[in-house]
Amino acid sequence: MSPDDPNNPDFTPEIGAPTDITPLGRTGPKPAHELTASEDPDPVDWGAIARDPDFHALLRAKKRFIIPGTIFFLVYYMTLPVLVGFFPDVMKRPVWGAVNWAYLFALSQFVMTGVLCVLYVRASRRWDAMNAALLAKFKHR
Amino acid sequence: MLFALQITPALGMFLAFVAVTLVITYYSARKATGSSAYFAAGRSIKGWQNGLAVAGDYMSAASFLGISGIICLKGYDGFMYSVGFLVAYLTVLFLVAEPLRNAGKYTMADLLAYRLKARPVRALAALSTLTVSTFYMIAQMVGAGGIIEQLIGIPFAPAVIGVGALMLVYVVFGGMLATTWVQIIKAVLLIAGAFALSVMVLGKHGFNIGQFFDSVSAATYAGSKPPVNLLDPGLAYGASAKNPWGAWDFTSLAFGLVLGTAGLPHILVRFYTVPDAQTARSSVVWATGIIGVFYILTTFFGFGAATILSMSDIPVDSKGVPNGNMVAPILAKVLGGELFFAFISAVAFATILAVVAGLTMSASTSFAHDFYSNVLHHGRETRPGEEVKVARITAFFVGAISIALAILLGSSVNAAMLVGLAFSVAASANLPVILFSVFWKRFNTVGACSGLAVGLASSIILILLSKNGLFPKDPVFPLTNPGLVSIPLGFLASWLGTVLSAPEPGAEEKFAELSVRSQTGLGAEKAAAH
């Protein structure tokens, strides 16, 4: 059945549709992702989870990694344009053959990105475990 | 006929390639259609597949044609785009991908509308999506027009109109064909092409990296230019007597690049085709890896082009400015002959086709859905099928405006530079409201609206006042990229709008829920389970 057919009861987006916004021209209720908070039926006691100490521990664990990590990569990255912009003569100095500091520092950004990706994935495994424990607690209630 | 078309082997191969990609797109889309296909297939999109699709979306005309050209002509300053485009993925990974996926929302507008007042934020979010997409589209049109100009030998303006019309037909009449698979296939072909080009370039230098960099630093475009060391920064953006703001230019460009990706509508929606936050995370990591390899290769086919091509190989526009967007295909022609040229051109063209299709659809659906239906008609269709009609009309206008602007700017304007501007607009208008709405309890509708409006207006006005806008000779705003000013303005406006207006108890009440949803993923599977 065509997604544009008004009789099609399924108003989820097609897989890989360029926008993944609900296909247009459907009548009927809104899909879940478009509901606003007031329209959303609420089977979960969100407030109870939000007050749970384990939830705060999860948030703290994430913040402990994400905030310093973000500051680090923004500062490390922005150092590059500042150095090549304001101190071009230093950065033009060749280090290895014709390769200069400017190119080496740019290359180190690739390494930095790779290392931070790996660190993030490792940290996020810990958060996944904390998250699973938190959600399990609320399932049993 | 106006132009005598000659079917050369290169053109034949090009057409065959484009046809094959279209057929693959069409069939993969057909197969995935049907009730609950999203749910079933959505679960089967794996991290690496989505990573390839994200990489495919990202390696548009700007990354491949634009960066190689700007590196070849301006040296190190062009490589800054490669670095910035890549590091930007850390912003996506750390701050945006998982919370957005977990919250179970599909677009930026969905996310904002969830706890704020739906109508005003949807209207402004639609406007900002339209603007960012149009900038992005212009870059693709310029690249595509250049390729057709080279392949068939027709002038740039009719080439852009032809390409644009072809793409519009594809989007307007084809509707929502699946682009995920064409992006995956294209990403693989593009990486393969980039590898082949790099190996050929290195082969010219005896597979010796040291020798390669030595010849880059002494590149003269076959003697037609006095040698400048392309490895030195500052050839495009450096401070000079003519441009005392050069160093700030560097900083502003870099700032826009690193924060821009996290606000690009067509990249953000990619994270919703995967089942959960873990897969969203792994697809960002895959995409980062693939894109990282690709951008390191730009060293070889960007800098390398300068050591192999001569100035007469690079086409010039009507004003005699070299057309930097055609460096990669021409390098392929010089190194690998006509057929390799056709292959590289076809891959670049397929890239553009897929990216434009995605962009046009996200722009026009966002307008039809967010603005026309939800804002003007309060979420109800007055007549069935009206939204589709509005979306198609919008697609036509977005395409027509991009074509007109592309012709106005001419073939020599660099695609990477144009996309750099789109990044700054996205970072100024979209990123502040996305972050605040997920992480700041007090954030309210006034804050979101002022952030979107100020970020969008300031970045556009500053671009218009700059060298790239209305004042090419004597710019009012000295920086070529507005990011350094307009991004802080976007954040400031979101913050000021919030603290100066009355608190919105409804929005704050629902923050606990959005926070739990976005951090734990609880309730997110509901979005797919119909």
Side-chain angles (χ1 to χ4, degrees), chain B residues 350-380:
Chain B
T351 299
I352 294 170
L353 196 64
V355 171
V356 165
L359 280 172
T360 320
M361 286 315 293
S362 66
S364 57
T365 353
S366 157
F367 182 80
H369 188 73
D370 287 330
F371 193 75
Y372 185 82
S373 292
N374 274 316
V375 177
L376 296 183
H377 293 274
H378 298 265
R380 275 184 299 276

PDB file of all heavy atoms in Angstrom, chain B residues 350-380:
ATOM      1  N   ALA B 350      26.508  11.333  -8.455  1.00  0.00           N
ATOM      2  CA  ALA B 350      25.574  10.531  -7.647  1.00  0.00           C
ATOM      3  C   ALA B 350      25.504  11.084  -6.230  1.00  0.00           C
ATOM      4  O   ALA B 350      24.437  11.169  -5.618  1.00  0.00           O
ATOM      5  CB  ALA B 350      26.008   9.075  -7.634  1.00  0.00           C
ATOM      6  N   THR B 351      26.678  11.473  -5.708  1.00  0.00           N
ATOM      7  CA  THR B 351      26.755  12.122  -4.397  1.00  0.00           C
ATOM      8  C   THR B 351      25.816  13.297  -4.334  1.00  0.00           C
ATOM      9  O   THR B 351      25.006  13.445  -3.418  1.00  0.00           O
ATOM     10  CB  THR B 351      28.172  12.690  -4.196  1.00  0.00           C
ATOM     11  OG1 THR B 351      29.079  11.632  -4.243  1.00  0.00           O
ATOM     12  CG2 THR B 351      28.296  13.441  -2.912  1.00  0.00           C
ATOM     13  N   ILE B 352      25.957  14.163  -5.345  1.00  0.00           N
ATOM     14  CA  ILE B 352      25.196  15.404  -5.350  1.00  0.00           C
ATOM     15  C   ILE B 352      23.709  15.099  -5.453  1.00  0.00           C
ATOM     16  O   ILE B 352      22.885  15.663  -4.739  1.00  0.00           O
ATOM     17  CB  ILE B 352      25.684  16.306  -6.492  1.00  0.00           C
ATOM     18  CG1 ILE B 352      27.109  16.741  -6.208  1.00  0.00           C
ATOM     19  CG2 ILE B 352      24.775  17.503  -6.660  1.00  0.00           C
ATOM     20  CD1 ILE B 352      27.788  17.434  -7.341  1.00  0.00           C
ATOM     21  N   LEU B 353      23.369  14.149  -6.333  1.00  0.00           N
ATOM     22  CA  LEU B 353      21.969  13.788  -6.533  1.00  0.00           C
ATOM     23  C   LEU B 353      21.344  13.326  -5.221  1.00  0.00           C
ATOM     24  O   LEU B 353      20.262  13.771  -4.822  1.00  0.00           O
ATOM     25  CB  LEU B 353      21.880  12.685  -7.579  1.00  0.00           C
ATOM     26  CG  LEU B 353      20.521  12.436  -8.199  1.00  0.00           C
ATOM     27  CD1 LEU B 353      20.089  13.650  -8.981  1.00  0.00           C
ATOM     28  CD2 LEU B 353      20.567  11.222  -9.095  1.00  0.00           C
ATOM     29  N   ALA B 354      22.067  12.425  -4.525  1.00  0.00           N
ATOM     30  CA  ALA B 354      21.523  11.886  -3.276  1.00  0.00           C
ATOM     31  C   ALA B 354      21.412  12.964  -2.213  1.00  0.00           C
ATOM     32  O   ALA B 354      20.414  13.051  -1.494  1.00  0.00           O
ATOM     33  CB  ALA B 354      22.410  10.744  -2.783  1.00  0.00           C
ATOM     34  N   VAL B 355      22.440  13.803  -2.109  1.00  0.00           N
ATOM     35  CA  VAL B 355      22.421  14.836  -1.069  1.00  0.00           C
ATOM     36  C   VAL B 355      21.318  15.847  -1.358  1.00  0.00           C
ATOM     37  O   VAL B 355      20.568  16.245  -0.457  1.00  0.00           O
ATOM     38  CB  VAL B 355      23.796  15.527  -0.960  1.00  0.00           C
ATOM     39  CG1 VAL B 355      23.718  16.736  -0.056  1.00  0.00           C
ATOM     40  CG2 VAL B 355      24.825  14.554  -0.439  1.00  0.00           C
ATOM     41  N   VAL B 356      21.188  16.228  -2.644  1.00  0.00           N
ATOM     42  CA  VAL B 356      20.164  17.216  -2.989  1.00  0.00           C
ATOM     43  C   VAL B 356      18.775  16.654  -2.731  1.00  0.00           C
ATOM     44  O   VAL B 356      17.896  17.349  -2.210  1.00  0.00           O
ATOM     45  CB  VAL B 356      20.312  17.663  -4.457  1.00  0.00           C
ATOM     46  CG1 VAL B 356      19.073  18.391  -4.929  1.00  0.00           C
ATOM     47  CG2 VAL B 356      21.512  18.567  -4.592  1.00  0.00           C
ATOM     48  N   ALA B 357      18.573  15.380  -3.079  1.00  0.00           N
ATOM     49  CA  ALA B 357      17.262  14.768  -2.840  1.00  0.00           C
ATOM     50  C   ALA B 357      16.920  14.844  -1.359  1.00  0.00           C
ATOM     51  O   ALA B 357      15.824  15.266  -0.980  1.00  0.00           O
ATOM     52  CB  ALA B 357      17.255  13.331  -3.332  1.00  0.00           C
ATOM     53  N   GLY B 358      17.885  14.459  -0.514  1.00  0.00           N
ATOM     54  CA  GLY B 358      17.652  14.491   0.925  1.00  0.00           C
ATOM     55  C   GLY B 358      17.380  15.895   1.434  1.00  0.00           C
ATOM     56  O   GLY B 358      16.464  16.120   2.222  1.00  0.00           O
ATOM     57  N   LEU B 359      18.189  16.842   0.941  1.00  0.00           N
ATOM     58  CA  LEU B 359      18.037  18.222   1.397  1.00  0.00           C
ATOM     59  C   LEU B 359      16.697  18.804   0.994  1.00  0.00           C
ATOM     60  O   LEU B 359      16.001  19.418   1.801  1.00  0.00           O
ATOM     61  CB  LEU B 359      19.126  19.089   0.765  1.00  0.00           C
ATOM     62  CG  LEU B 359      20.497  19.053   1.391  1.00  0.00           C
ATOM     63  CD1 LEU B 359      21.475  19.801   0.519  1.00  0.00           C
ATOM     64  CD2 LEU B 359      20.441  19.688   2.759  1.00  0.00           C
ATOM     65  N   THR B 360      16.336  18.608  -0.281  1.00  0.00           N
ATOM     66  CA  THR B 360      15.086  19.184  -0.762  1.00  0.00           C
ATOM     67  C   THR B 360      13.923  18.594   0.013  1.00  0.00           C
ATOM     68  O   THR B 360      12.992  19.302   0.402  1.00  0.00           O
ATOM     69  CB  THR B 360      14.876  18.885  -2.255  1.00  0.00           C
ATOM     70  OG1 THR B 360      16.128  19.007  -2.895  1.00  0.00           O
ATOM     71  CG2 THR B 360      13.886  19.818  -2.867  1.00  0.00           C
ATOM     72  N   MET B 361      13.987  17.276   0.226  1.00  0.00           N
ATOM     73  CA  MET B 361      12.883  16.658   0.943  1.00  0.00           C
ATOM     74  C   MET B 361      12.800  17.177   2.368  1.00  0.00           C
ATOM     75  O   MET B 361      11.718  17.500   2.850  1.00  0.00           O
ATOM     76  CB  MET B 361      13.038  15.131   0.960  1.00  0.00           C
ATOM     77  CG  MET B 361      12.742  14.460  -0.357  1.00  0.00           C
ATOM     78  SD  MET B 361      11.249  15.043  -1.185  1.00  0.00           S
ATOM     79  CE  MET B 361       9.989  14.456  -0.073  1.00  0.00           C
ATOM     80  N   SER B 362      13.957  17.282   3.058  1.00  0.00           N
ATOM     81  CA  SER B 362      13.847  17.700   4.459  1.00  0.00           C
ATOM     82  C   SER B 362      13.404  19.150   4.540  1.00  0.00           C
ATOM     83  O   SER B 362      12.633  19.514   5.425  1.00  0.00           O
ATOM     84  CB  SER B 362      15.141  17.447   5.236  1.00  0.00           C
ATOM     85  OG  SER B 362      16.172  18.257   4.759  1.00  0.00           O
ATOM     86  N   ALA B 363      13.847  19.966   3.590  1.00  0.00           N
ATOM     87  CA  ALA B 363      13.442  21.366   3.620  1.00  0.00           C
ATOM     88  C   ALA B 363      11.954  21.505   3.316  1.00  0.00           C
ATOM     89  O   ALA B 363      11.215  22.187   4.029  1.00  0.00           O
ATOM     90  CB  ALA B 363      14.255  22.175   2.617  1.00  0.00           C
ATOM     91  N   SER B 364      11.493  20.811   2.266  1.00  0.00           N
ATOM     92  CA  SER B 364      10.113  21.040   1.846  1.00  0.00           C
ATOM     93  C   SER B 364       9.126  20.352   2.786  1.00  0.00           C
ATOM     94  O   SER B 364       8.067  20.899   3.087  1.00  0.00           O
ATOM     95  CB  SER B 364       9.900  20.573   0.417  1.00  0.00           C
ATOM     96  OG  SER B 364      10.231  19.227   0.288  1.00  0.00           O
ATOM     97  N   THR B 365       9.493  19.167   3.312  1.00  0.00           N
ATOM     98  CA  THR B 365       8.573  18.537   4.260  1.00  0.00           C
ATOM     99  C   THR B 365       8.494  19.346   5.527  1.00  0.00           C
ATOM    100  O   THR B 365       7.415  19.489   6.115  1.00  0.00           O
ATOM    101  CB  THR B 365       9.024  17.118   4.666  1.00  0.00           C
ATOM    102  OG1 THR B 365      10.111  16.744   3.891  1.00  0.00           O
ATOM    103  CG2 THR B 365       7.905  16.136   4.520  1.00  0.00           C
ATOM    104  N   SER B 366       9.642  19.869   5.963  1.00  0.00           N
ATOM    105  CA  SER B 366       9.636  20.653   7.183  1.00  0.00           C
ATOM    106  C   SER B 366       8.733  21.867   7.003  1.00  0.00           C
ATOM    107  O   SER B 366       7.947  22.210   7.890  1.00  0.00           O
ATOM    108  CB  SER B 366      11.063  21.076   7.518  1.00  0.00           C
ATOM    109  OG  SER B 366      11.052  22.203   8.324  1.00  0.00           O
ATOM    110  N   PHE B 367       8.817  22.496   5.826  1.00  0.00           N
ATOM    111  CA  PHE B 367       7.980  23.668   5.602  1.00  0.00           C
ATOM    112  C   PHE B 367       6.504  23.265   5.556  1.00  0.00           C
ATOM    113  O   PHE B 367       5.667  23.842   6.253  1.00  0.00           O
ATOM    114  CB  PHE B 367       8.379  24.362   4.301  1.00  0.00           C
ATOM    115  CG  PHE B 367       7.584  25.598   4.034  1.00  0.00           C
ATOM    116  CD1 PHE B 367       7.903  26.784   4.670  1.00  0.00           C
ATOM    117  CD2 PHE B 367       6.494  25.572   3.183  1.00  0.00           C
ATOM    118  CE1 PHE B 367       7.153  27.928   4.455  1.00  0.00           C
ATOM    119  CE2 PHE B 367       5.744  26.709   2.962  1.00  0.00           C
ATOM    120  CZ  PHE B 367       6.070  27.892   3.596  1.00  0.00           C
ATOM    121  N   ALA B 368       6.204  22.246   4.750  1.00  0.00           N
ATOM    122  CA  ALA B 368       4.805  21.856   4.575  1.00  0.00           C
ATOM    123  C   ALA B 368       4.221  21.375   5.894  1.00  0.00           C
ATOM    124  O   ALA B 368       3.102  21.708   6.274  1.00  0.00           O
ATOM    125  CB  ALA B 368       4.694  20.767   3.526  1.00  0.00           C
ATOM    126  N   HIS B 369       5.025  20.582   6.608  1.00  0.00           N
ATOM    127  CA  HIS B 369       4.508  19.936   7.794  1.00  0.00           C
ATOM    128  C   HIS B 369       4.523  20.865   9.001  1.00  0.00           C
ATOM    129  O   HIS B 369       3.508  21.060   9.663  1.00  0.00           O
ATOM    130  CB  HIS B 369       5.350  18.708   8.062  1.00  0.00           C
ATOM    131  CG  HIS B 369       4.790  17.864   9.138  1.00  0.00           C
ATOM    132  ND1 HIS B 369       3.672  17.111   8.950  1.00  0.00           N
ATOM    133  CD2 HIS B 369       5.164  17.695  10.412  1.00  0.00           C
ATOM    134  CE1 HIS B 369       3.378  16.500  10.075  1.00  0.00           C
ATOM    135  NE2 HIS B 369       4.265  16.835  10.965  1.00  0.00           N
ATOM    136  N   ASP B 370       5.700  21.439   9.272  1.00  0.00           N
ATOM    137  CA  ASP B 370       5.829  22.265  10.470  1.00  0.00           C
ATOM    138  C   ASP B 370       5.119  23.590  10.301  1.00  0.00           C
ATOM    139  O   ASP B 370       4.431  24.051  11.206  1.00  0.00           O
ATOM    140  CB  ASP B 370       7.308  22.524  10.783  1.00  0.00           C
ATOM    141  CG  ASP B 370       7.974  21.284  11.325  1.00  0.00           C
ATOM    142  OD1 ASP B 370       7.270  20.494  11.971  1.00  0.00           O
ATOM    143  OD2 ASP B 370       9.175  21.099  11.094  1.00  0.00           O
ATOM    144  N   PHE B 371       5.327  24.212   9.148  1.00  0.00           N
ATOM    145  CA  PHE B 371       4.795  25.551   9.004  1.00  0.00           C
ATOM    146  C   PHE B 371       3.358  25.531   8.499  1.00  0.00           C
ATOM    147  O   PHE B 371       2.453  26.026   9.144  1.00  0.00           O
ATOM    148  CB  PHE B 371       5.686  26.374   8.074  1.00  0.00           C
ATOM    149  CG  PHE B 371       5.366  27.830   8.122  1.00  0.00           C
ATOM    150  CD1 PHE B 371       5.765  28.597   9.206  1.00  0.00           C
ATOM    151  CD2 PHE B 371       4.647  28.424   7.116  1.00  0.00           C
ATOM    152  CE1 PHE B 371       5.442  29.936   9.275  1.00  0.00           C
ATOM    153  CE2 PHE B 371       4.329  29.781   7.177  1.00  0.00           C
ATOM    154  CZ  PHE B 371       4.729  30.528   8.259  1.00  0.00           C
ATOM    155  N   TYR B 372       3.151  24.918   7.343  1.00  0.00           N
ATOM    156  CA  TYR B 372       1.830  24.993   6.723  1.00  0.00           C
ATOM    157  C   TYR B 372       0.772  24.290   7.565  1.00  0.00           C
ATOM    158  O   TYR B 372      -0.237  24.872   7.919  1.00  0.00           O
ATOM    159  CB  TYR B 372       1.891  24.400   5.316  1.00  0.00           C
ATOM    160  CG  TYR B 372       0.590  24.538   4.570  1.00  0.00           C
ATOM    161  CD1 TYR B 372       0.257  25.719   3.932  1.00  0.00           C
ATOM    162  CD2 TYR B 372      -0.305  23.487   4.516  1.00  0.00           C
ATOM    163  CE1 TYR B 372      -0.929  25.861   3.268  1.00  0.00           C
ATOM    164  CE2 TYR B 372      -1.511  23.610   3.846  1.00  0.00           C
ATOM    165  CZ  TYR B 372      -1.815  24.801   3.225  1.00  0.00           C
ATOM    166  OH  TYR B 372      -2.999  24.923   2.576  1.00  0.00           O
ATOM    167  N   SER B 373       1.025  23.021   7.920  1.00  0.00           N
ATOM    168  CA  SER B 373      -0.015  22.269   8.628  1.00  0.00           C
ATOM    169  C   SER B 373      -0.094  22.614  10.101  1.00  0.00           C
ATOM    170  O   SER B 373      -1.151  22.943  10.619  1.00  0.00           O
ATOM    171  CB  SER B 373       0.227  20.769   8.489  1.00  0.00           C
ATOM    172  OG  SER B 373       0.024  20.408   7.175  1.00  0.00           O
ATOM    173  N   ASN B 374       1.070  22.542  10.775  1.00  0.00           N
ATOM    174  CA  ASN B 374       1.012  22.689  12.225  1.00  0.00           C
ATOM    175  C   ASN B 374       0.851  24.128  12.672  1.00  0.00           C
ATOM    176  O   ASN B 374       0.254  24.394  13.707  1.00  0.00           O
ATOM    177  CB  ASN B 374       2.259  22.085  12.867  1.00  0.00           C
ATOM    178  CG  ASN B 374       2.080  20.607  13.104  1.00  0.00           C
ATOM    179  OD1 ASN B 374       1.041  20.175  13.561  1.00  0.00           O
ATOM    180  ND2 ASN B 374       3.085  19.833  12.771  1.00  0.00           N
ATOM    181  N   VAL B 375       1.405  25.071  11.907  1.00  0.00           N
ATOM    182  CA  VAL B 375       1.322  26.454  12.339  1.00  0.00           C
ATOM    183  C   VAL B 375       0.079  27.125  11.769  1.00  0.00           C
ATOM    184  O   VAL B 375      -0.722  27.688  12.492  1.00  0.00           O
ATOM    185  CB  VAL B 375       2.592  27.228  11.927  1.00  0.00           C
ATOM    186  CG1 VAL B 375       2.458  28.679  12.330  1.00  0.00           C
ATOM    187  CG2 VAL B 375       3.798  26.604  12.599  1.00  0.00           C
ATOM    188  N   LEU B 376      -0.092  27.035  10.463  1.00  0.00           N
ATOM    189  CA  LEU B 376      -1.219  27.742   9.852  1.00  0.00           C
ATOM    190  C   LEU B 376      -2.534  27.016  10.086  1.00  0.00           C
ATOM    191  O   LEU B 376      -3.576  27.627  10.235  1.00  0.00           O
ATOM    192  CB  LEU B 376      -0.981  27.919   8.354  1.00  0.00           C
ATOM    193  CG  LEU B 376       0.209  28.803   7.965  1.00  0.00           C
ATOM    194  CD1 LEU B 376       0.292  28.945   6.461  1.00  0.00           C
ATOM    195  CD2 LEU B 376       0.085  30.179   8.610  1.00  0.00           C
ATOM    196  N   HIS B 377      -2.489  25.677  10.072  1.00  0.00           N
ATOM    197  CA  HIS B 377      -3.755  24.946  10.150  1.00  0.00           C
ATOM    198  C   HIS B 377      -3.908  24.130  11.430  1.00  0.00           C
ATOM    199  O   HIS B 377      -4.680  23.187  11.463  1.00  0.00           O
ATOM    200  CB  HIS B 377      -3.921  24.058   8.913  1.00  0.00           C
ATOM    201  CG  HIS B 377      -4.093  24.853   7.662  1.00  0.00           C
ATOM    202  ND1 HIS B 377      -5.301  25.320   7.243  1.00  0.00           N
ATOM    203  CD2 HIS B 377      -3.192  25.298   6.759  1.00  0.00           C
ATOM    204  CE1 HIS B 377      -5.146  26.017   6.127  1.00  0.00           C
ATOM    205  NE2 HIS B 377      -3.886  26.022   5.810  1.00  0.00           N
ATOM    206  N   HIS B 378      -3.106  24.440  12.447  1.00  0.00           N
ATOM    207  CA  HIS B 378      -3.239  23.798  13.756  1.00  0.00           C
ATOM    208  C   HIS B 378      -3.199  22.272  13.682  1.00  0.00           C
ATOM    209  O   HIS B 378      -3.922  21.601  14.406  1.00  0.00           O
ATOM    210  CB  HIS B 378      -4.539  24.243  14.455  1.00  0.00           C
ATOM    211  CG  HIS B 378      -4.556  25.706  14.721  1.00  0.00           C
ATOM    212  ND1 HIS B 378      -4.162  26.236  15.905  1.00  0.00           N
ATOM    213  CD2 HIS B 378      -4.885  26.740  13.930  1.00  0.00           C
ATOM    214  CE1 HIS B 378      -4.250  27.549  15.839  1.00  0.00           C
ATOM    215  NE2 HIS B 378      -4.683  27.878  14.661  1.00  0.00           N
ATOM    216  N   GLY B 379      -2.390  21.737  12.780  1.00  0.00           N
ATOM    217  CA  GLY B 379      -2.181  20.291  12.773  1.00  0.00           C
ATOM    218  C   GLY B 379      -3.249  19.483  12.082  1.00  0.00           C
ATOM    219  O   GLY B 379      -3.216  18.268  12.096  1.00  0.00           O
ATOM    220  N   ARG B 380      -4.228  20.159  11.468  1.00  0.00           N
ATOM    221  CA  ARG B 380      -5.238  19.374  10.746  1.00  0.00           C
ATOM    222  C   ARG B 380      -5.174  19.720   9.276  1.00  0.00           C
ATOM    223  O   ARG B 380      -4.992  20.871   8.892  1.00  0.00           O
ATOM    224  CB  ARG B 380      -6.633  19.691  11.277  1.00  0.00           C
ATOM    225  CG  ARG B 380      -7.014  18.881  12.493  1.00  0.00           C
ATOM    226  CD  ARG B 380      -8.431  19.186  12.891  1.00  0.00           C
ATOM    227  NE  ARG B 380      -8.595  20.577  13.236  1.00  0.00           N
ATOM    228  CZ  ARG B 380      -8.314  21.089  14.446  1.00  0.00           C
ATOM    229  NH1 ARG B 380      -7.850  20.296  15.378  1.00  0.00           N
ATOM    230  NH2 ARG B 380      -8.487  22.357  14.705  1.00  0.00           N
TER     231      ARG B 380
END
